[in-house]
Amino acid sequence: MSKIKTKPKEENKTPMVKIYIMGAVHEVPASLTIMKAMEYAGFKITRGAGCRAGFCGACATVYRKAGDYRIYAALACQTQVEDGMVLTQLPFVPAPKGKYDINKISPTANTILKFYPEVARCLSCNACSKVCPQEIHVMDYVQYALQGQISKAADESFDCVQCGLCTIRCPAEIPQYHVATLVRRLHGRYTMISPETLEARVEEIEAGFYEEGLKELMNLSEDKLRHKYYHERDFIDQKKA
Amino acid sequence: MVQYSYFPGCNLKTNAKGFEETAIAVSKKLEAELVEIPNWNCCGTVHTMTSDNLMRRIAPVRVLSRSKKHIETLGEDTLNEVVTLCAMCNSTLKIVNHEVKEDQDKLDTINFQLEEDDEVYDHDMEVKHFLEIIRDDIGFEKISKSVVNPLEGLKISPYYGCMLLHPDEAAIDDVEMPSVLEYLVESLGAKVVDSPLFKFCCGSYHIVDEEKIVDTQVAKIVEAARSRGANALVVACPLCAFNIDHQQKILKEKTHGKEPLPVFYFTQLMALALGVPIKTNHFEDHHVDPKPLLKELGLSGSKKSK
């Protein structure tokens, strides 16, 4: 992050609030998100911004509110500024990451403990769940992983965007979001029932069922291909539907 | 059917699946169903002896609080009790429950952490081991009436270990003369073989770094039972079970000694006697396979089921 310029002060009718970015006061429009407010204040965000739609988890932010002892955490692109907010962004969360070959491990509690032994230190304090911007029951899935209930842990952690806030808050120093990745991989590889229709389709493809059709398409001229794509294709017309 | 809020503990889901599955199956047969708390966390073991380390007591108090919430979803007859199978969980939960009931200040400090999660504990729960439910609620009479395959030929030495009887806050029976396992074994039609080493330490967590200590303890425990005529042991603790079961196998390989004795959880014996399908026992997880002995005694098939 680098400060590049300050916006000249001018008449502004939109309601403004005062926020403190890394301790320095800035006046910003009250309607902005934290991320937009930082940019409005002149910060160029080079790390810690991604989709800007609450899906990627790149923009973890911690803040305090005026007159409130609590430390809050959120995604900067999803949270509106408030008057008196003191904030900073966390562009990166250092967390150890296990290295494994998914085909050589088993969906058990011992696998979790092998790559993330810290999981056994969980105190059930629930600090991770309280801080999660996705409102995931983080502590619960860490516990399910410790109990070897891999599928349950995978389901519970499904909405994780890997912002890393849980890891920053954990007194047992567990990298929860990496544990979550491991349980979901184990679930996908070993415990999830694979859909029959998908397997049948893969078999069809491998048996060469579509080869001829594809070849035919490849040999068409661009005009004919265009015609096929726009006029002959079987699709729902959104306007008529 | 009476329902109980049941707290499994991590071992019941990993090393002791047979313990849990047989317990649930027999609980249904005896109309005292164990219903698992959907979102349980670690019991907080090993219980910390540092009396002001409240951080380590959040887990057990949270268990009690979540169990209370779980009870609200169960039948009307359900009492404010959380039932455990693992002796270690039972001990940890009982001790902490006792501590916070005695010391309101401690509970207030812990509740301050649980407040935001809406999981404040109101010191209104009791921790019960399933053996207590069997003895005090179900009764041995009902159990012997439900037996369809009497365990004739099994000569069983009850092994309590430390956690079921110590310390006082966690004891489920008389410290010097416990009898609950003896009565249970008898009501299932098996013979009880008393051993003086019924609570001689199994070696506990030394299994992690000082296996030899465990070897010595296990050799003595098993020999005391064998020399008095036992052909199997019954336990209630997954750690005792692992140590005695696993180390006998190691000892046999090392010393070319006598045939090891199979180790049963008390619920596995109940399941065999009550006609629960044998696969529920997960005997494949045992290191000393009990199946040959059961086959020899004609107990391996569920002949009749009720």
Side-chain angles (χ1 to χ4, degrees):
Chain A
M1 265 174 284
S2 57
K3 205 170 176 185
I4 48 170
K5 58 177 180 178
T6 20
K7 202 158 176 139
K9 285 206 170 173
E10 52 190 61
E11 276 297 308
N12 202 335
K13 280 170 195 168
T14 44
M16 303 292 275
V17 290
K18 268 184 190 162
I19 61 167
Y20 300 82
I21 301 172
M22 289 179 276
V25 66
H26 294 271
E27 209 177 358
V28 300
S31 60
L32 297 185
T33 62
I34 292 175
M35 182 176 280
K36 283 185 178 157
M38 286 184 75
E39 287 171 333
Y40 180 91
F43 289 90
K44 186 183 173 193
I45 301 170
T46 55
R47 181 81 211 242
C51 71
R52 292 171 184 259
F55 285 108
C56 79
C59 59
T61 291
V62 285
Y63 61 90
R64 277 194 153 90
K65 296 179 188 178
D68 190 340
Y69 72 92
R70 283 190 174 84
I71 188 150
Y72 291 88
L75 297 179
C77 72
Q78 293 297 296
T79 313
Q80 203 177 342
V81 289
E82 284 174 41
D83 198 39
M85 208 180 234
V86 183
L87 61 93
T88 188
Q89 262 197 280
L90 297 174
F92 176 70
V93 174
K97 201 164 163 182
K99 273 190 183 172
Y100 42 83
D101 179 342
I102 194 71
N103 293 310
K104 289 179 183 163
I105 53 180
S106 59
T108 60
N110 278 344
T111 302
I112 308 292
L113 289 171
K114 185 179 170 194
F115 295 106
Y116 301 106
E118 311 78 41
V119 165
R121 297 176 65 196
C122 177
L123 295 154
S124 306
C125 73
N126 218 19
C128 48
S129 308
K130 279 179 204 147
V131 83
C132 180
Q134 293 290 89
E135 294 174 10
I136 296 169
H137 299 135
V138 183
M139 186 265 279
D140 291 13
Y141 82 64
V142 168
Q143 288 289 329
Y144 300 151
L146 179 62
Q147 296 155 9
Q149 306 201 70
I150 303 295
S151 306
K152 214 172 164 186
D155 281 347
E156 191 68 62
S157 71
F158 189 78
D159 288 334
C160 176
V161 294
Q162 308 207 309
C163 65
L165 284 165
C166 47
T167 300
I168 287 291
R169 288 291 268 161
C170 181
E173 287 143 310
I174 300 167
Q176 290 90 336
Y177 66 109
H178 288 330
V179 177
T181 313
L182 175 55
V183 292
R184 286 198 305 275
R185 284 176 177 160
L186 287 170
H187 179 56
R189 172 68 182 76
Y190 295 102
T191 54
M192 211 162 79
I193 304 157
S194 59
E196 284 172 30
T197 44
L198 176 67
E199 280 179 14
R201 182 55 51 90
V202 171
E203 266 174 37
E204 261 180 20
I205 293 168
E206 282 176 348
F209 189 83
Y210 298 99
E211 301 267 314
E212 217 164 284
L214 268 173
K215 228 176 249 173
E216 200 183 300
L217 281 179
M218 297 288 280
N219 291 329
L220 285 180
S221 69
E222 196 182 323
D223 283 347
K224 278 183 181 169
L225 206 54
R226 258 177 208 286
H227 185 78
K228 246 186 163 20
Y229 188 79
Y230 289 112
H231 301 290
E232 286 177 30
R233 198 161 65 122
D234 183 17
F235 67 97
I236 301 161
D237 190 329
Q238 294 294 341
K239 279 177 194 162
K240 285 177 190 168
Chain B
M1 186 175 305
V2 190
Q3 290 185 314
Y4 291 91
S5 172
Y6 155 61
F7 173 83
C10 58
N11 258 299
L12 281 291
K13 297 285 177 194
T14 52
N15 299 322
K17 289 195 203 84
F19 190 8
E20 168 166 71
E21 288 182 27
T22 50
I24 290 173
V26 299
S27 77
K28 285 180 188 161
K29 287 212 177 232
L30 296 168
E31 292 171 323
E33 190 186 3
L34 299 180
V35 186
E36 181 176 333
I37 304 167
N39 55 348
W40 54 277
N41 55 263
C42 175
C43 69
T45 200
V46 176
H47 176 68
T48 173
M49 303 290 228
T50 317
S51 60
D52 61 353
N53 188 350
L54 298 183
M55 196 75 178
R56 289 294 306 272
R57 287 166 170 83
I58 291 176
V61 174
R62 194 187 292 281
V63 168
L64 296 169
S65 168
R66 286 189 171 184
S67 174
K68 176 75 195 300
K69 277 199 173 173
H70 179 224
I71 285 165
E72 285 163 18
T73 68
L74 299 179
E76 275 179 20
D77 304 340
T78 307
L79 299 169
N80 282 355
E81 291 172 343
V82 55
V83 179
T84 62
L85 288 170
C86 171
M88 190 85 83
C89 298
N90 181 64
S91 173
T92 309
L93 291 173
K94 272 199 171 117
I95 295 170
V96 173
N97 194 25
H98 178 80
E99 282 176 350
V100 296
K101 280 186 181 187
E102 294 277 295
D103 191 337
Q104 185 66 38
D105 281 355
K106 269 187 189 170
L107 182 58
D108 287 346
T109 312
I110 294 169
N111 272 340
F112 187 63
Q113 295 300 315
L114 301 176
E115 210 171 54
E116 275 180 63
D117 308 324
D118 198 18
E119 287 178 343
V120 166
Y121 177 50
D122 217 7
H123 55 67
D124 51 356
M125 290 288 293
E126 290 299 331
V127 182
K128 289 277 171 80
H129 192 275
F130 190 43
L131 280 170
E132 292 175 278
I133 302 295
I134 287 171
R135 181 189 60 200
D136 305 333
D137 294 6
I138 300 170
F140 298 115
E141 206 174 315
K142 183 167 183 178
I143 292 171
S144 50
K145 276 182 192 158
S146 313
V147 168
V148 290
N149 301 319
L151 303 180
E152 281 158 19
L154 272 181
K155 289 171 269 181
I156 295 181
S157 176
Y159 176 75
Y160 286 83
C162 57
M163 304 305 274
L164 284 180
L165 305 173
H166 299 277
D168 282 351
E169 298 88 347
I172 68 159
D173 208 340
D174 189 276
V175 181
E176 297 302 336
M177 282 290 272
S179 56
V180 55
L181 282 174
E182 280 82 350
Y183 280 121
L184 178 63
V185 167
E186 265 179 5
S187 62
L188 300 174
K191 194 175 170 253
V192 174
V193 177
D194 281 321
S195 159
L197 301 190
F198 65 90
K199 63 170 182 178
F200 191 71
C201 177
C202 73
S204 189
Y205 282 118
H206 284 304
I207 191 69
V208 181
D209 56 352
E210 288 284 352
E211 251 185 76
K212 277 182 189 161
I213 296 178
V214 181
D215 287 349
T216 320
Q217 301 297 99
V218 168
K220 284 180 186 164
I221 293 164
V222 174
E223 203 41 49
R226 195 208 315 275
S227 62
R228 283 165 180 79
N231 56 12
L233 287 142
V234 62
V235 299
C237 170
L239 184 54
C240 299
F242 179 83
N243 280 357
I244 300 177
D245 187 31
H246 186 259
Q247 291 316 106
Q248 276 196 88
K249 198 182 157 199
I250 304 282
L251 279 172
K252 193 196 166 199
E253 282 160 12
K254 273 188 194 160
T255 59
H256 307 286
K258 293 166 191 160
E259 278 301 306
L261 300 183
V263 180
F264 293 97
Y265 291 107
F266 65 94
T267 55
Q268 290 179 315
L269 294 179
M270 293 171 78
L272 289 169
L274 267 52
V276 174
I278 195 151
K279 65 172 188 338
T280 321
N281 286 283
H282 285 272
F283 285 138
E284 72 278 3
D285 292 344
H286 289 221
H287 300 279
V288 178
D289 189 359
K291 281 187 300 239
L293 175 68
L294 295 176
K295 206 176 171 188
E296 192 190 312
L297 300 172
L299 297 170
S300 48
S302 50
K303 282 170 280 184
K304 301 158 255 175
S305 66
K306 214 171 186 180

